[in-house]
Amino acid sequence: MRVVLPGKPQAKLQAVCSAEWQGQRLVAYITGNALAILGGPHDLIQTIYHDACLALDAVAIDETTGKIAVSSLDDVYVYRPVGRHKKLSKWLLQCTVSCSTEERGCLTLSWGSSEELLVGSSSLQLYQTAPSVTQIWLRNLSRPVKIASFSHDASLIASTGRYDRLIKLWKRQSYGTDDTRFDFTYLSHPATVTGIHWRRLQEGQHYTDNVVYSICRDSKIRIWTAVDPHGPQAFQLWAEIDMQESIQPRHLEAVSPSEPRYAFIIDSCDFLKATDRAVQAASNGGQEENHALEHLMEVVKSNPEICVILDTRGHLSVWGLQDLECKTRQASSVFNVAHVENFGIPISKESSAEANFHFLNFCDQQTDSAFALVLHDFDGSISWLGGSLDELFDPSPRQQRLRTKALWTGHDSSIKKIVRSVSGKAAMSRTNDNEALIWKQSQSKSATVMSRISSIDCPEHIHRSWLLRDGDWIVNLHHHSISLWSAQCSPAKLAGSCAFDLEAKLLCLVPLPKKSSQNPNNIYLATISADMMGIAWEITLPSRSARNPQSSELREGKIRQFCTFAIGLREDLAFMLPVDPAGSSDLISSTFDAFATDVAISYTRDGILRSWTADVDLQNSSVKWLATSRVETGVDEPFLASGSSIKKTALVDSSKTRLTIWDMQSGQLEHDEQYGALDPIQDLDWSSTPDDQSILAVGFPHKVVILAQMRYDYYDVGPAWAPIRQINLGQSTPHPIGDSTWLGSGSLLVGAGNQLVVYDKQVTSTDDMILDLSVPVHKRGPMDLFNLVTYLNGPLPLFHPQFLSQCILAGKLVQVQKIILNLFKALKFFTDGDDLDSFVSMSPADFYVPPARVTSAAREEKQSSYITSSAANDSEAVSENVATALNEILAKKSVPQVSSKEQIHLADMVECVATVEKHRRSMDENAMRYLLFFRQHMIRKNQVPADQAGITFREIVWAYHSSSQDILLDLVSRQFHNRMLWKHARESGAFMWMTDPTALKTHFETIARNEYTKTDEKNPIDCSLYYLALKKKSVLLGLWRMASWNREQASTQRLLSNNFSDPRWKTAALKNAYALLGKRRFEYAAAFFLLAGNLQDAVNVCLLQVRDLQLAVAVARVYEGDDKGPVLRSLLEEKVLPQAGLEGNRWLASWACWMLGRREFAVRTLIEPVHKVLGMEEKPRMQARSWRASDPALVVLYKQLRASSKKEGNAKKERLGVGVKMEWDFVMSTARSYRRMGCDLLALDLVRNWEFWPLEDTNNNSNNNKEQSFELSKINGSDAAAVVVNGIESNNTEDHEQKLKQTQTQTQFVEPDASSLLDSFGF
């Protein structure tokens, strides 16, 4: 549901109107130069802007045709509805009528019969608007009219001028466009006429005499009825009601005779409908006795007109008028219906005598209330009130008679900026002309309500603003001063200001964090200019108890300059801005390090992001700044950035179409999306759930896309961010969005034109945008935004396929089997609607408590059969029978907490675990990891034939480091029915992970035979590359002798019969190779390069033309006979490793380094960015910075390689080039990745059980190293500015970084205790 604030209504008599058209209630009003059309309290149908005029004056709706007319100073715009269905109706401009007059004044509008439009100003003009605009009557007046309106049968016009005591009554003498004539008479009043109302006729009632009501300055209502339609006086005064005498308070009060009274008429047709609805509601509610309703039913029997009179003290007097058609009034024709006190209509007691209100009332079947009252306050608001007439007219005391359904207010010019308070409970909207409104949020039963509490009309340009104490105080930053405003009254009051002088451009207004020991009434704000100079101010606010009049504490706020400072960053800074306070309350920080609260972010022109914190030193009156993180994004000339207080930053490039989202803590790219050039990004706003799951609103000119943080998925390579909602404003307003911001409740406040719209946090999960997300079936339908995001990024149930796969990679196969068995037991008797334990009767300790030490016998068994130390008995394993039975259940029942797609993957995982268990005793853990994911890949490939991609290098590396490759190769061959072709070999990666040269050649020759026999014709061209790589030209020649059907047989056979050690035939082979390249027969060309003995060119063709890295590596390995050949080394060093560095592929880089024998680099590439390890000068691609480059399974491989290096005698990390802090950062980053995957238990297991290698002191200054230790104050060590060295805090960031580089050469490491380690991750 959305709450609409369509804008501030004009303070005009005809600023708002209402009509029922085709069964739909329409309310239209003018705000600034815009026309707002609504179909209910929160149903904004359309907004039409008139850029050619400054403001509109009047609006009128034709109930018959649905046409809407609006007027400006001297033009009238007529709009006609388009669309069959009422919900699809839009209004398009039909015509424009120019009504220029000598005396310029506001125009009045009124619709008559047959699409006639009456326009009143210094003359009365009647236009026929169909089929074309034609003026059919004109009458000049002595003075401009204030009111001119048709009676409901269009036979009469009542008009009066400003300060006029006469109502001129125009009677129609003829109809038709050629000869339209009116005669007139006067209705005299003793004072100025302030209001005119024609009685509405009931449906089907055409011959009832017209009745006109007039409200006069003398506080009397006069009822005029028709007498002799052919006489000189067509109307007579039938009755009058004295509004002052009508309200007689029951208590002794000093009532001023000049106290304003207000009145409105409820026509008998609406009164009858409202009473019927009240009776129906009472019968449905089962009410037994309702004296007010019984009284109302008695009143309605006489079919009266109702006159309601009210004052500013809460008194309401209701009068009934009956027998209006009688020429003579009886004594009982005017009678009192009710007298009510504390009626609750929002008319303030402080309303002055000049205050003005306009009332509209109606009863519709479409509204949820029996009676609706629209109150137009000329102060700038419209209230939609709803209720029941029996409650409204009940004389007994009631708390609430009418309920406020909507309050329409806002600006009358375009909104430029919206600023929220830290808590999100208040917001301030600001226009281009420095008009500011302060809003406070409240929550009703159905929606979020925004109430206007104050306004600021500032004479100076407002550059930046900040809200304090939930909008009670406002700070505005101007070009050369700063001002403090108290918004506890309306309009806001200036409490103080300070002038300043900064030469450079002001960038931002930033709140500074305060310590818990500081005075809570003192708040510190700072501004920073483009030259990195800044000023801080101290703001002293009165305590909340100072609102008590008897309190002697400070009641007024004060502002003073606290200090000036220089940040000291010597870089070309593009912009600096405060972080969005997503997920935070007051900025309180107890430390001044990388874990302190971020207050601002900055970005340079070459795309370097920094997050900043600050420390206020009260003793020295200074402010210190510290960069808590630094990320090189590679985005040049950023257009826009926005950071959150929970270490997320969004960045938009110079084209305004590319959005990237960065994790400032790890420095990783989490999202990269390109939008259309016709839809530029113009705004970014952060929010978060109560458990710190991030939400980003991306603003475009006419829509807002909400992105939610998703779990990391390293297997299916799913996105880390996904759109979950799209808000389109183009259907209701043509004006582009000015700004938007999140409220604390999770609602989104959007400003477009002069309108504000509040979208609540209810998300329909059946929208097309999120149908593809992993949302369980039972969660479909309206969902809370926070709950949806928490589900999409929260902890996974243990039986989730992603958690099971990560457990297998982490070596927890026993726990996986236990999970599957417990799930099988739970689902046996499970029915829809039952709760399913996400832990499936397991304890968290099962995942992070190390297993007990095994006995020597068990250790021998482990060494002989590769069983892990915690291996389960066969009775506790997942057999094929168990897997089959469980998958039958999964095919029939919907499992809670997983989607239908995830349930299919779960069934695949169960089958794969059973397959691995079958071969568990004959292979090691790495082989089981490979086999499980290879088997899962084959199952999914069969389910989705379009998915033909092979396994990733992660699985290849597992098999490469396995000692059970012969068994793996046999299982892989069986998977392809022992008919392995090259496409199967590429799919399995077999020739990348085989390490035995003999087996490599044997299986390559098998590939050659299978390629030859894969077709019935047995084409030797298909196997030429493979046999020539094996240097078996004679075998290939024999195959050509049998290919008599091939037209190339003779020439190829003659060519192959030659000696290619002869330069002549080597040249001939090269010529044929180049000719084949021209014909794009790339594989055959590579074969001829091999025939010429040119392995390098053959490898290049496979890599560059065929685009098959695996084929290039396999040919080089087979042709050279081992893994030390120059061509293979050149391929790995010059092609593979640079590619891995550009892509950030750590698995590929580690495999290539291990192949080259550079084991220290193979280990370092697992924990460091590849391009840094390789020392590449070329900048890596954006994907190298992605979160996908930091697979948490890397930590498992790193632990293996570290252990193998230790066995080989490399006891020091220096031998591998891995420092202690580097390993610390790697483990912490992996733990964060586990948490983002929803695998919190694996993150806990990692940080709880990880063992750092002890270092031996080999330097002479070991004692000094023990004394000098550095504190790890940032989990990602890439930002040197985020480390506090030996307790020395530097205000100069550059000096700080230089000191840090000196300390990084130290070798003494103080390992933090377990509690601090867990606190870093929120455990």
Side-chain angles (χ1 to χ4, degrees):
M1 182 180 178
R2 66 177 186 175
V3 176
V4 183
L5 297 168
K8 179 181 179 181
Q10 297 280 48
K12 305 290 179 63
L13 286 176
Q14 278 195 281
V16 58
C17 64
S18 174
E20 185 177 357
W21 172 66
Q22 292 187 354
Q24 181 183 14
R25 173 58 57 178
L26 298 176
V27 177
Y29 79 92
I30 53 177
T31 166
N33 64 348
L35 166 66
I37 307 171
L38 298 102
H42 306 297
D43 181 17
L44 178 62
I45 300 176
Q46 188 178 358
T47 304
I48 303 174
Y49 287 89
H50 302 78
D51 297 328
C53 57
L54 296 177
L56 300 176
D57 293 329
V59 59
I61 304 176
D62 185 5
E63 289 189 341
T64 305
T65 63
K67 288 186 177 182
I68 301 178
V70 292
S71 66
S72 62
L73 196 60
D74 48 18
D75 290 319
V76 178
Y77 305 90
V78 179
Y79 295 90
R80 60 182 177 86
V82 177
R84 296 181 180 179
H85 193 270
K86 61 182 181 180
K87 292 297 183 182
L88 302 178
S89 297
K90 296 294 178 184
W91 277 260
L92 299 180
L93 180 66
Q94 176 189 346
C95 60
T96 302
V97 181
S98 179
C99 304
S100 58
T101 56
E102 295 181 0
E103 185 175 352
R104 302 172 67 89
C106 297
L107 302 179
T108 64
L109 303 173
S110 181
W111 287 96
S113 62
S114 303
E115 302 183 42
E116 294 176 346
L117 178 63
L118 176 67
V119 181
S121 57
S122 58
S123 63
L124 289 179
Q125 305 174 57
L126 187 60
Y127 292 88
Q128 175 60 251
T129 62
S132 60
V133 179
T134 306
Q135 187 185 75
I136 60 177
W137 181 67
L138 170 66
R139 186 65 177 265
N140 293 321
L141 304 174
S142 59
R143 63 174 64 185
V145 297
K146 178 177 67 173
I147 303 173
S149 64
F150 264 116
S151 62
H152 285 272
D153 61 358
S155 63
L156 295 167
I157 298 174
S159 67
T160 185
R162 185 179 297 274
Y163 309 116
D164 202 341
R165 296 188 300 107
L166 300 175
I167 292 180
K168 188 174 289 187
L169 209 60
W170 303 81
K171 184 179 179 181
R172 194 161 193 160
Q173 301 296 321
S174 64
Y175 290 85
T177 58
D178 296 333
D179 184 20
T180 301
R181 289 176 294 135
F182 285 85
D183 193 9
F184 68 90
T185 184
Y186 290 101
L187 301 180
S188 179
H189 294 73
T192 303
V193 177
T194 59
I196 298 175
H197 174 81
W198 287 101
R199 180 174 69 166
R200 287 184 64 235
L201 303 179
Q202 298 184 20
E203 296 181 6
Q205 195 174 19
H206 301 287
Y207 302 103
T208 304
D209 291 337
N210 284 299
V211 177
V212 62
Y213 303 87
S214 63
I215 303 177
C216 195
R217 192 77 175 180
D218 61 356
S219 295
K220 290 186 179 181
I221 302 173
R222 291 173 173 83
I223 302 96
W224 305 83
T225 59
V227 284
D228 183 5
H230 303 290
Q233 187 68 27
F235 276 71
Q236 69 172 358
L237 180 63
W238 186 81
E240 63 180 26
I241 301 175
D242 191 329
M243 292 191 289
Q244 293 290 342
E245 296 295 331
S246 296
I247 297 179
Q248 296 294 332
R250 299 178 182 178
H251 307 287
L252 294 178
E253 297 179 272
V255 179
S256 172
S258 62
E259 184 174 328
R261 296 283 193 271
Y262 306 96
F264 60 90
I265 305 297
I266 303 177
D267 294 304
S268 58
C269 55
D270 287 327
F271 181 63
L272 178 61
K273 288 180 182 179
T275 304
D276 290 342
R277 288 281 302 275
V279 172
Q280 182 180 0
S283 61
N284 294 336
Q287 298 182 14
E288 297 181 357
E289 292 187 1
N290 188 337
H291 298 294
L293 183 59
E294 293 174 358
H295 173 63
L296 208 62
M297 294 171 62
E298 289 295 326
V299 172
V300 80
K301 291 180 180 180
S302 59
N303 194 22
E305 309 286 325
I306 300 298
C307 176
V308 181
I309 303 170
L310 57 155
D311 65 5
T312 60
R313 297 176 178 268
H315 304 132
L316 182 142
S317 180
V318 185
W319 295 84
L321 309 173
Q322 64 182 4
D323 302 328
L324 291 176
E325 289 79 9
C326 297
K327 299 299 185 287
T328 58
R329 178 174 64 88
Q330 304 295 325
S332 60
S333 298
V334 180
F335 59 94
N336 184 263
V337 176
H339 183 90
V340 177
E341 295 188 359
N342 299 323
F343 61 89
I345 295 180
I347 297 179
S348 173
K349 292 183 179 180
E350 288 77 17
S351 297
S352 63
E354 299 298 326
N356 203 346
F357 298 90
H358 182 208
F359 299 88
L360 298 174
N361 64 88
F362 47 83
C363 176
D364 283 331
Q365 297 297 324
Q366 288 73 26
T367 57
D368 58 352
S369 300
F371 176 75
L373 179 66
V374 176
L375 170 62
H376 175 202
D377 187 347
F378 279 38
D379 188 39
S381 66
I382 297 176
S383 301
W384 183 307
L385 309 171
S388 179
L389 279 186
D390 60 325
E391 296 178 354
L392 178 63
F393 295 163
D394 187 359
S396 60
R398 282 182 176 270
Q399 291 292 330
Q400 192 176 26
R401 300 178 184 272
L402 292 179
R403 288 162 290 280
T404 302
K405 300 294 183 180
L407 178 63
W408 299 334
T409 183
H411 298 274
D412 53 10
S413 58
S414 297
I415 296 171
K416 178 182 180 181
K417 185 68 177 176
I418 303 176
V419 183
R420 57 167 274 182
S421 63
V422 174
S423 65
K425 296 179 180 179
M428 185 181 83
S429 54
R430 191 175 76 239
T431 62
N432 289 319
D433 53 1
N434 298 318
E435 178 199 24
L437 296 180
I438 296 90
W439 310 84
K440 281 201 174 181
Q441 170 194 357
S442 59
Q443 200 71 29
S444 66
K445 294 182 180 180
S446 58
T448 299
V449 179
M450 298 297 294
S451 302
R452 189 183 72 181
I453 62 169
S454 187
S455 62
I456 297 177
D457 191 3
C458 186
E460 295 184 74
H461 172 72
I462 301 176
H463 190 61
R464 295 287 186 269
S465 300
W466 197 261
L467 277 65
L468 306 175
R469 285 192 180 172
D470 292 333
D472 288 344
W473 298 86
I474 311 295
V475 177
N476 289 328
L477 178 68
H478 314 287
H479 288 304
H480 297 288
S481 65
I482 187 171
S483 58
L484 174 66
W485 299 75
S486 173
Q488 300 171 76
C489 56
S490 184
K493 179 182 178 183
L494 179 64
S497 63
C498 283
F500 63 86
D501 185 16
L502 286 176
E503 297 180 356
K505 176 185 176 182
L506 301 180
L507 299 181
C508 58
L509 182 63
V510 179
L512 302 180
K514 56 186 179 181
K515 298 179 181 178
S516 56
S517 59
Q518 294 180 2
N519 185 349
N521 298 322
N522 290 347
I523 299 171
Y524 298 88
L525 297 176
T527 186
I528 301 170
S529 61
D531 58 359
M532 291 289 94
M533 302 299 293
I535 301 176
W537 291 276
E538 181 185 66
I539 300 171
T540 303
L541 300 180
S543 62
R544 301 185 186 274
S545 62
R547 294 185 179 182
N548 185 358
Q550 299 180 355
S551 175
S552 60
E553 296 186 35
L554 177 69
R555 297 184 186 177
E556 298 292 335
K558 291 184 178 180
I559 183 171
R560 71 177 183 90
Q561 181 171 316
F562 181 70
C563 70
T564 60
F565 56 84
I567 293 184
L569 182 66
R570 293 187 292 270
E571 285 189 9
D572 187 13
L573 190 66
F575 210 79
M576 191 170 186
L577 66 159
V579 299
D580 275 350
S584 64
S585 53
D586 291 336
L587 295 174
I588 299 177
S589 181
S590 58
T591 60
F592 185 51
D593 52 25
F595 297 109
T597 304
D598 288 342
V599 297
I601 64 163
S602 65
Y603 58 89
T604 61
R605 303 188 190 282
D606 53 357
I608 298 179
L609 286 173
R610 280 187 174 88
S611 58
W612 298 87
T613 189
D615 180 60
V616 179
D617 187 350
L618 297 179
Q619 295 182 352
N620 299 319
S621 296
S622 62
V623 175
K624 302 175 184 178
W625 290 86
L626 178 67
T628 58
S629 61
R630 180 180 182 273
V631 177
E632 296 182 8
T633 65
V635 179
D636 295 329
E637 298 292 338
F639 164 71
L640 181 65
S642 179
S644 73
S645 56
I646 51 179
K647 303 288 186 179
K648 303 291 181 185
T649 299
L651 194 66
V652 179
D653 69 350
S654 57
S655 67
K656 306 180 185 179
T657 58
R658 187 182 185 186
L659 170 69
T660 54
I661 301 177
W662 301 83
D663 187 319
M664 299 297 292
Q665 195 169 20
S666 63
Q668 294 176 350
L669 172 67
E670 292 195 342
H671 186 68
D672 186 2
E673 186 166 357
Q674 187 79 33
Y675 294 94
L678 299 178
D679 218 3
I681 303 172
Q682 63 181 26
D683 190 26
L684 300 169
D685 295 289
W686 286 99
S687 183
S688 69
T689 64
D691 56 345
D692 286 346
Q693 311 292 344
S694 297
I695 307 171
L696 176 65
V698 184
F700 299 88
H702 296 283
K703 67 180 181 181
V704 178
V705 177
I706 298 177
L707 301 177
Q709 189 173 316
M710 306 285 289
R711 299 186 192 95
Y712 285 171
D713 188 350
Y714 290 92
Y715 184 74
D716 290 327
V717 197
W721 291 79
I724 60 173
R725 187 179 185 183
Q726 180 169 307
I727 297 171
N728 291 307
L729 274 77
Q731 298 178 355
S732 58
T733 175
H735 204 288
I737 296 173
D739 198 10
S740 60
T741 191
W742 289 96
L743 301 176
S745 63
S747 301
L748 184 66
L749 179 63
V750 182
N754 65 333
Q755 299 177 341
L756 289 168
V757 185
V758 184
Y759 292 88
D760 64 10
K761 59 180 180 179
Q762 292 297 318
V763 178
T764 303
S765 60
T766 54
D767 290 345
D768 295 338
M769 182 166 287
I770 58 175
L771 281 177
D772 294 334
L773 298 180
S774 299
V775 179
V777 177
H778 68 279
K779 289 185 178 292
R780 293 293 168 87
M783 294 181 63
D784 184 276
L785 176 65
F786 287 170
N787 294 338
L788 176 61
V789 174
T790 299
Y791 169 78
L792 294 175
N793 195 39
L796 293 168
L798 299 190
F799 48 83
H800 195 281
Q802 172 156 289
F803 185 82
L804 295 177
S805 63
Q806 291 301 318
C807 284
I808 292 171
L809 290 174
K812 299 184 181 297
L813 183 60
V814 174
Q815 286 88 337
V816 169
Q817 297 198 20
K818 189 175 180 181
I819 292 171
I820 294 175
L821 291 174
N822 289 357
L823 178 64
F824 179 48
K825 296 176 183 178
L827 291 180
K828 279 184 178 179
F829 308 102
F830 178 82
T831 58
D832 291 340
D834 292 349
D835 292 331
L836 185 62
D837 181 16
S838 60
F839 279 84
V840 285
S841 303
M842 293 189 67
S843 170
D846 295 337
F847 294 87
Y848 63 80
V849 174
R853 294 185 179 274
V854 297
T855 61
S856 58
R859 189 179 298 110
E860 292 177 1
E861 183 183 4
K862 171 187 174 181
Q863 294 174 355
S864 62
S865 63
Y866 300 107
I867 301 178
T868 59
S869 60
S870 58
N873 297 327
D874 291 341
S875 60
E876 298 177 354
V878 179
S879 63
E880 291 183 344
N881 294 333
V882 172
T884 302
L886 178 55
N887 284 347
E888 289 178 356
I889 297 176
L890 293 176
K892 299 177 182 178
K893 298 180 179 180
S894 296
V895 180
Q897 305 181 55
V898 294
S899 65
S900 56
K901 181 180 178 180
E902 292 167 345
Q903 190 163 329
I904 295 174
H905 292 173
L906 175 60
D908 298 342
M909 181 67 66
V910 172
E911 181 179 344
C912 294
V913 170
T915 303
V916 170
E917 173 61 26
K918 182 178 178 181
H919 303 282
R920 174 174 57 86
R921 294 181 179 274
S922 57
M923 61 178 65
D924 60 7
E925 284 188 352
N926 285 339
M928 286 192 292
R929 293 186 180 101
Y930 172 86
L931 180 60
L932 187 138
F933 287 97
F934 172 71
R935 176 64 180 163
Q936 194 168 0
H937 161 73
M938 296 303 297
I939 293 176
R940 294 193 184 183
K941 187 187 74 168
N942 295 331
Q943 293 172 348
V944 186
D947 184 14
Q948 297 293 336
I951 60 175
T952 66
F953 259 92
R954 178 179 62 182
E955 285 72 46
I956 290 175
V957 171
W958 294 130
Y960 181 73
H961 290 286
S962 171
S963 58
S964 310
Q965 292 183 357
D966 51 345
I967 302 173
L968 276 183
L969 198 57
D970 180 60
L971 293 174
V972 170
S973 299
R974 285 190 215 171
Q975 184 67 43
F976 301 111
H977 311 290
N978 291 321
R979 294 283 299 170
M980 183 183 290
L981 302 176
W982 174 250
K983 65 178 182 180
H984 302 142
R986 180 174 58 243
E987 193 174 349
S988 64
F991 289 91
M992 305 292 281
W993 50 259
M994 278 192 288
T995 56
D996 184 4
T998 304
L1000 187 73
K1001 292 183 178 181
T1002 301
H1003 284 86
F1004 202 74
E1005 188 170 2
T1006 303
I1007 296 291
R1009 286 196 302 269
N1010 294 337
E1011 288 287 340
Y1012 174 69
T1013 59
K1014 68 180 180 180
T1015 59
D1016 294 336
E1017 61 185 11
K1018 298 182 179 179
N1019 192 346
I1021 295 177
D1022 295 337
C1023 63
S1024 297
L1025 177 61
Y1026 306 98
Y1027 276 117
L1028 291 177
L1030 290 164
K1031 300 179 181 180
K1032 293 188 177 184
K1033 186 189 71 170
S1034 58
V1035 176
L1036 182 62
L1037 181 59
L1039 297 177
W1040 271 108
R1041 290 193 183 105
M1042 294 183 289
S1044 57
W1045 56 270
N1046 195 317
R1047 64 181 181 177
E1048 300 177 2
Q1049 181 197 25
S1051 58
T1052 305
Q1053 188 175 348
R1054 286 195 304 270
L1055 181 64
L1056 291 177
S1057 301
N1058 297 300
N1059 181 10
F1060 286 92
S1061 60
D1062 187 344
R1064 173 191 171 187
W1065 298 113
K1066 190 176 292 187
T1067 303
L1070 289 175
K1071 288 182 179 179
N1072 280 277
Y1074 288 118
L1076 291 169
L1077 283 178
K1079 296 179 181 179
R1080 303 188 66 82
R1081 298 173 66 182
F1082 298 128
E1083 285 193 21
Y1084 203 27
F1088 274 88
F1089 278 122
L1090 292 178
L1091 188 61
N1094 196 337
L1095 174 62
Q1096 185 66 61
D1097 287 343
V1099 169
N1100 289 339
V1101 170
C1102 293
L1103 183 66
L1104 302 177
Q1105 274 72 37
V1106 183
R1107 297 184 182 277
D1108 193 339
L1109 173 62
Q1110 293 194 38
L1111 182 60
V1113 172
V1115 169
R1117 295 182 71 186
V1118 171
Y1119 191 90
E1120 292 183 323
D1122 57 22
D1123 294 341
K1124 298 181 180 179
V1127 175
L1128 177 62
R1129 295 184 67 87
S1130 174
L1131 173 64
L1132 296 177
E1133 291 175 351
E1134 298 177 7
K1135 301 295 183 181
V1136 176
L1137 285 177
Q1139 177 185 346
L1142 291 175
E1143 298 176 353
N1145 192 333
R1146 298 186 180 185
W1147 297 102
L1148 177 60
S1150 178
W1151 170 85
C1153 290
W1154 201 274
M1155 287 279 290
L1156 291 169
R1158 300 176 182 175
R1159 297 195 172 186
E1160 70 281 2
F1161 287 98
V1163 175
R1164 285 181 58 193
T1165 54
L1166 297 176
I1167 67 176
E1168 277 191 279
V1170 180
H1171 68 279
K1172 290 186 178 180
V1173 177
L1174 302 178
M1176 295 173 55
E1177 296 182 359
E1178 184 179 359
K1179 286 186 177 181
R1181 300 171 187 166
M1182 189 70 78
Q1183 68 187 85
R1185 301 179 174 93
S1186 173
W1187 58 273
R1188 295 189 179 97
S1190 301
D1191 192 334
L1194 290 167
V1195 77
V1196 180
L1197 181 60
Y1198 170 74
K1199 193 172 183 180
Q1200 288 185 10
L1201 300 185
R1202 189 186 72 169
S1204 64
S1205 299
K1206 187 175 183 180
K1207 290 180 181 179
E1208 295 174 5
N1210 298 329
K1212 299 178 183 178
K1213 284 204 183 82
E1214 285 83 353
R1215 297 287 298 274
L1216 297 177
V1218 179
V1220 181
K1221 185 177 184 301
M1222 189 185 302
E1223 185 174 299
W1224 165 275
D1225 294 337
F1226 175 58
V1227 173
M1228 298 299 102
S1229 176
T1230 303
R1232 283 196 298 271
S1233 297
Y1234 272 134
R1235 291 204 65 201
R1236 277 299 307 273
M1237 296 178 71
C1239 304
D1240 295 52
L1241 290 177
L1242 297 182
L1244 181 58
D1245 170 57
L1246 178 65
V1247 299
R1248 189 179 188 274
N1249 298 318
W1250 185 266
E1251 295 181 1
F1252 292 90
W1253 266 7
L1255 291 178
E1256 296 180 5
D1257 295 328
T1258 57
N1259 299 328
N1260 295 329
N1261 58 348
S1262 59
N1263 294 330
N1264 295 332
N1265 289 337
K1266 292 180 180 179
E1267 295 175 359
Q1268 298 179 355
S1269 62
F1270 64 88
E1271 176 186 357
L1272 294 174
S1273 59
K1274 178 169 172 45
I1275 292 178
N1276 179 18
S1278 61
D1279 184 11
V1283 179
V1284 181
V1285 183
N1286 294 332
I1288 302 175
E1289 300 168 353
S1290 175
N1291 191 40
N1292 190 312
T1293 305
E1294 299 291 340
D1295 297 340
H1296 195 87
E1297 294 180 357
Q1298 295 296 329
K1299 293 180 181 180
L1300 176 67
K1301 291 178 180 178
Q1302 299 175 4
T1303 60
Q1304 286 181 331
T1305 60
Q1306 302 171 0
T1307 58
Q1308 179 69 20
F1309 174 73
V1310 179
E1311 184 175 340
D1313 59 4
S1315 61
S1316 65
L1317 186 64
L1318 300 183
D1319 288 342
S1320 301
F1321 293 90
F1323 292 119

